[in-house]
Amino acid sequence: MGEELTIIRKPVPLTSPTLRDLLAVVFRQKRLVLLSFWAIFLSVLGYGVFAPSYPAHMNILVRRGRVDPLVTPAPTPSPMFQRDEITEEELNSQVELLRDDEILRTVVQSAGVAGAPWYERFLGGSEEVRMARSVRRMSHRLTVEAIRKTNLIQVEYSASDPAQAAAVLHALAHAYLERQQRVRRPSGEFEFFEQQVAQARRGLLDAEFRLMDFSSDQGVVSAAQERDMALQKLSNAEANDRQNQVAIAETRQRIQDLQSKLKTLPERTLTVIRNADNPQLAEKMKSKLLELQLKRTKLLTKFDPSYRLVQEVDQQITETKASIAGEEHSPLRDETTNQEPNHEWAKSELIKAQVELGTLEAHGQATRIQVAGYREVAQRLGGNALRQGDLLGEMKAAEEKYLLYMNKREEARIEDALDQGGILNVTIAQEPRVPALPARAAWVFSIIGVLLGGTLSTSLAFAADYLNPGFRTPDEVIAYLGIPVLASLP
């Protein structure tokens, strides 16, 4: 039975590459390294020399030199306490506005940079597509950033043509300022308020004419004031009427009391009583007696005492004597009376009270007629005051509206004048100028070419060496096959 030979492969541990190994790779691929290094170096250097990038700069100052009024139906308040500092949000808003696609599209059209480079001409597309590519290419070359702790915004645009870079920034500044005017204020504001002023003026004239016609038709100047005066007169007349009714009641009661009092008071009172004889009567009676006696004596000379005429004379003599005797025994009584003062006072007061009662009743009737007239006038003036108040309110509202639109129109005119004068809350602090020097010098591109060429060529060398399937060293043979190497040729 023959003997068998078994070969056992022992794993060879992998060792980390040394500097010698790395340099060996470079030397093995030195042709590739040299070709790729010079190609990259010359490309970078050629780009830096023949197609340099010229950056144009522009600074924009954001300020508060102008406060635009609000387009509202209310008076614009006066900015007494205005903030002077610019917030970060306001700066960022201006930065984003500078990057707006519409502004960039306007810049592309006005600056003449809409032409596509040679490598984009093969892509084709419509005019809108080419414009969008130009806007995107410009946005990549445009740098807009707010400078920290300042109110400045720095804008930079790089182009191979320095004049074109400055022209782009000029066009950007012009488009940005125009956008500021449209963003800050709506267009046609002055014309709008001009129309509103004319309309408000017509409304004010109509309100004034309605008020004048009403005052002329109703015959009032100030209905509210006249109503108040009529109410005051009505109140005074009602108070006078109440006082008159009280006076009438008092007078009637006084008349009743005086009439009752007169019934108990005598009209006259006895003041003097005198007893005395009546000498004239006694003298007449004695003369009469003497005449009768003489007549009897004369008759007796002719007739007998029994004669009838003599007896009649005797009878008259007897009666006369009796009368003289009776007069002597009953003297003349003289009584003197005067009017009762209390009765006369009560009578005069009664007459005065009756006259006063008639006067008060007539005054009360006239006062009631006056109260009714004042009440009717007050009611009529009350309605007129309400209507006139409404008309005055309408006229006042129309006047306020007219003055408001007048102020708004003046504000719009001032804003238009400020816009025409270029007075905005932003200003170009540093105008763009044509750059004289490129962004990087030629020696900078040389360094970049050396660094980039060295890095890329070395990377290509290691990649090519890694992709080569051949064995370069005995260690690779041992590591891959796991068998010893007896000899190797360099």
Side-chain angles (χ1 to χ4, degrees):
M1 183 175 179
E3 296 180 355
E4 294 180 357
L5 179 62
T6 303
I7 299 175
I8 300 174
R9 298 180 179 179
K10 296 182 180 181
V12 178
L14 294 175
T15 60
S16 58
T18 62
L19 181 60
R20 181 184 179 87
D21 297 334
L22 298 176
L23 293 176
V25 172
V26 174
F27 279 106
R28 282 195 299 271
Q29 303 292 337
K30 59 181 179 180
R31 185 176 180 180
L32 178 61
V33 170
L34 292 175
L35 290 177
S36 60
F37 174 79
W38 285 110
I40 295 171
F41 175 76
L42 292 177
S43 299
V44 172
L45 185 61
Y47 176 78
V49 173
F50 298 104
S53 178
Y54 290 91
H57 297 85
M58 176 178 65
N59 289 338
I60 298 175
L61 175 64
V62 182
R63 58 181 183 178
R64 291 193 181 277
R66 169 180 170 183
V67 179
D68 295 324
L70 299 177
V71 184
T72 59
T76 303
S78 177
M80 298 179 62
F81 303 100
Q82 179 184 348
R83 296 184 296 108
D84 294 332
E85 67 276 3
I86 303 297
T87 62
E88 184 178 357
E89 289 78 7
E90 292 173 334
L91 280 176
N92 292 334
S93 300
Q94 300 300 325
V95 169
E96 294 301 323
L97 187 61
L98 284 166
R99 295 173 178 170
D100 185 66
D101 288 342
E102 183 179 353
I103 292 180
L104 296 182
R105 183 182 294 270
T106 304
V107 173
V108 168
Q109 294 175 352
S110 60
V113 293
W118 61 270
Y119 56 86
E120 288 187 0
R121 295 175 184 173
F122 298 100
L123 299 178
S126 62
E127 182 67 24
E128 184 65 24
V129 173
R130 290 195 296 272
M131 177 63 68
R133 290 171 182 170
S134 300
V135 170
R136 183 177 58 184
R137 185 170 60 253
M138 176 176 288
S139 64
H140 291 163
R141 296 180 181 180
L142 184 66
T143 303
V144 183
E145 59 181 6
I147 303 176
R148 293 186 57 188
K149 297 183 179 181
T150 64
N151 296 338
L152 293 174
I153 298 176
Q154 187 177 30
V155 184
E156 179 181 337
Y157 182 77
S158 299
S160 58
D161 186 3
Q164 186 182 23
V168 167
L169 288 186
H170 278 292
L172 178 62
H174 181 70
Y176 171 68
L177 293 178
E178 287 185 352
R179 176 62 67 85
Q180 276 289 326
Q181 295 178 2
R182 294 200 306 270
V183 170
R184 289 292 181 182
R185 295 181 58 249
S187 59
E189 184 177 346
F190 180 79
E191 290 77 10
F192 170 76
F193 284 119
E194 181 71 24
Q195 296 175 359
Q196 295 300 318
V197 165
Q199 182 178 356
R201 182 173 180 81
R202 289 193 298 269
L204 177 59
L205 292 176
D206 292 340
E208 290 177 348
F209 285 138
R210 287 198 301 270
L211 180 60
M212 293 172 61
D213 293 339
F214 175 79
S215 300
S216 177
D217 295 338
Q218 299 298 325
V220 294
V221 178
S222 177
Q225 186 175 1
E226 294 178 8
R227 177 201 59 193
D228 295 339
M229 294 175 62
L231 290 175
Q232 183 65 33
K233 292 180 180 179
L234 175 61
S235 178
N236 294 335
E238 289 178 346
N240 189 13
D241 183 59
R242 288 192 294 269
Q243 293 177 357
N244 188 71
Q245 294 298 327
V246 172
I248 289 174
E250 291 178 351
T251 304
R252 286 177 178 174
Q253 184 64 35
R254 186 179 181 186
I255 290 173
Q256 293 178 1
D257 293 342
L258 289 173
Q259 288 176 349
S260 300
K261 191 68 175 176
L262 283 174
K263 292 179 181 179
T264 61
L265 293 175
E267 293 184 4
R268 301 185 70 84
T269 181
L270 182 62
T271 58
V272 179
I273 300 176
R274 290 181 298 177
N275 295 323
D277 295 335
N278 192 348
Q280 295 178 356
L281 180 61
E283 185 67 28
K284 289 181 178 181
M285 292 178 68
K286 289 179 178 181
S287 298
K288 182 68 176 177
L289 178 60
L290 181 60
E291 290 178 358
L292 289 175
Q293 289 177 351
L294 291 175
K295 184 177 181 181
R296 181 176 181 276
T297 301
K298 185 177 181 181
L299 288 174
L300 285 177
T301 60
K302 295 180 179 180
F303 302 100
D304 188 54
S306 60
Y307 188 66
R308 185 182 58 81
L309 289 176
V310 176
Q311 290 180 353
E312 287 178 2
V313 172
D314 289 339
Q315 182 67 29
Q316 290 177 359
I317 291 172
T318 302
E319 291 178 357
T320 302
K321 289 181 178 178
S323 297
I324 292 172
E327 183 66 26
E328 290 177 355
H329 288 89
S330 57
L332 182 63
R333 183 184 178 92
D334 186 11
E335 293 182 356
T336 302
T337 60
N338 291 326
Q339 293 180 349
E340 176 65 29
N342 293 329
H343 184 276
E344 291 298 324
W345 175 83
K347 187 176 180 180
S348 64
E349 289 296 324
L350 176 60
I351 295 173
K352 288 169 60 178
Q354 290 175 348
V355 173
E356 185 178 357
L357 177 61
T359 303
L360 290 175
E361 288 178 348
H363 180 72
Q365 184 178 2
T367 303
R368 285 190 292 273
I369 295 175
Q370 188 179 25
V371 167
Y374 283 151
R375 183 175 290 110
E376 181 181 358
V377 171
Q379 291 176 354
R380 179 176 60 83
L381 290 176
N384 291 338
L386 293 176
R387 178 56 181 163
Q388 192 177 41
D390 294 338
L391 293 176
L392 284 173
E394 293 176 0
M395 187 185 71
K396 186 176 180 181
E399 183 179 4
E400 291 178 353
K401 182 179 179 182
Y402 174 69
L403 294 177
L404 171 64
Y405 284 125
M406 284 283 290
N407 294 332
K408 291 289 186 180
R409 184 184 66 176
E410 182 63 18
E411 291 176 357
R413 187 192 65 79
I414 294 174
E415 293 299 321
D416 289 342
L418 292 175
D419 290 340
Q420 293 177 2
I423 302 175
L424 300 172
N425 282 335
V426 293
T427 184
I428 307 301
Q430 179 182 345
E431 293 288 342
R433 292 180 297 180
V434 178
L437 298 175
R440 296 179 180 85
W443 63 269
V444 175
F445 284 97
S446 299
I447 296 175
I448 294 174
V450 170
L451 295 177
L452 187 61
T455 303
L456 293 179
S457 61
T458 304
S459 300
L460 288 174
F462 278 95
D465 191 75
Y466 178 77
L467 295 176
N468 190 358
F471 296 109
R472 272 82 61 181
T473 62
D475 294 334
E476 291 180 356
V477 176
I478 296 173
Y480 185 79
L481 299 177
I483 58 176
V485 177
L486 298 179
S488 65
L489 296 175

